[in-house]
Amino acid sequence: MTRTSIMPCLVYRDAPAAIDWLCQAFGFTQHLVVPGDGGTIAHAQLTLGDGMIMLGSGTSELMRQLTALPADIGGRQTQTPYVVVADPDAHYATAIKAGARIVRPIQEEDYGGKGYTLADPEGYVWHFGSYDPWQDSELNPP
C-alpha cells in the first residue's frame, strides 16, 4: 500500500523568524531548511512527531499570485491546521510562554480530548489537542 500524507504548506513574511518561533513554541524540529535570496527561505520542512508542515517566504511570482498572509486579508483564514499532541496542558503552557495569542483557551472537548486554539506571530490560526480522530472508536470499528 502506498503511504499518503497531507502536509500543510504556509507562507510567512519572515520565514526565518517563523521557523525559530514554531520550533520554540510548538516543538517542531527542522527537517530541511533551504535558504533563499536576501535572507528568505526558499523551502522548509518542519516535523512534529510523524507530522510535517512545509513553509517558505513565498517570493516566487506564482506563490504571490496564489497566497495571501492573514495580515493581508484582515486576519481571516482559509484553513487552520489541527495538530494532535500527547500533553495539551504542557503544550499550551509552552505556547503561552513563547507569546502565542490565545484564540480559544484550553478546554475539554465535547467530542473527547482536550484542546485549544491560538494564532502565531504572523496571524495563522492553529488548533492543538489530544483528540485523535484516527483513534476514535466510532471511526475505526473493531
Side-chain angles (χ1 to χ4, degrees):
M1 177 184 214
T2 302
R3 178 181 170 164
T4 300
S5 298
I6 297 173
M7 291 163 240
C9 299
L10 305 166
V11 173
Y12 284 90
R13 185 169 280 120
D14 187 349
I19 290 168
D20 291 343
W21 193 88
L22 292 167
C23 291
Q24 176 190 358
F26 297 164
F28 279 100
T29 301
Q30 294 181 23
H31 180 72
L32 173 70
V33 177
V34 179
D37 295 333
T40 63
I41 299 296
H43 177 75
Q45 301 166 356
L46 305 182
T47 60
L48 183 64
D50 62 357
M52 179 182 286
I53 63 169
M54 295 188 290
L55 65 96
S57 298
T59 58
S60 73
E61 181 63 31
L62 178 61
M63 289 307 290
R64 286 195 305 270
Q65 290 175 4
L66 295 176
T67 62
L69 298 164
D72 297 338
I73 56 173
R76 294 191 328 258
Q77 310 286 302
T78 58
Q79 62 179 340
T80 57
Y82 175 78
V83 182
V84 178
V85 295
D87 186 347
D89 291 303
H91 197 272
Y92 183 73
T94 300
I96 289 173
K97 186 175 179 182
R101 181 174 58 84
I102 302 303
V103 174
R104 184 179 62 90
I106 195 162
Q107 61 190 34
E108 296 290 332
E109 306 293 5
D110 294 339
Y111 47 83
K114 191 174 196 178
Y116 70 97
T117 304
L118 58 79
D120 70 23
E122 291 204 22
Y124 285 103
V125 172
W126 296 77
H127 308 277
F128 289 92
S130 59
Y131 174 73
D132 184 345
W134 292 111
Q135 302 302 316
D136 186 312
S137 61
E138 289 182 26
L139 296 176
N140 299 297

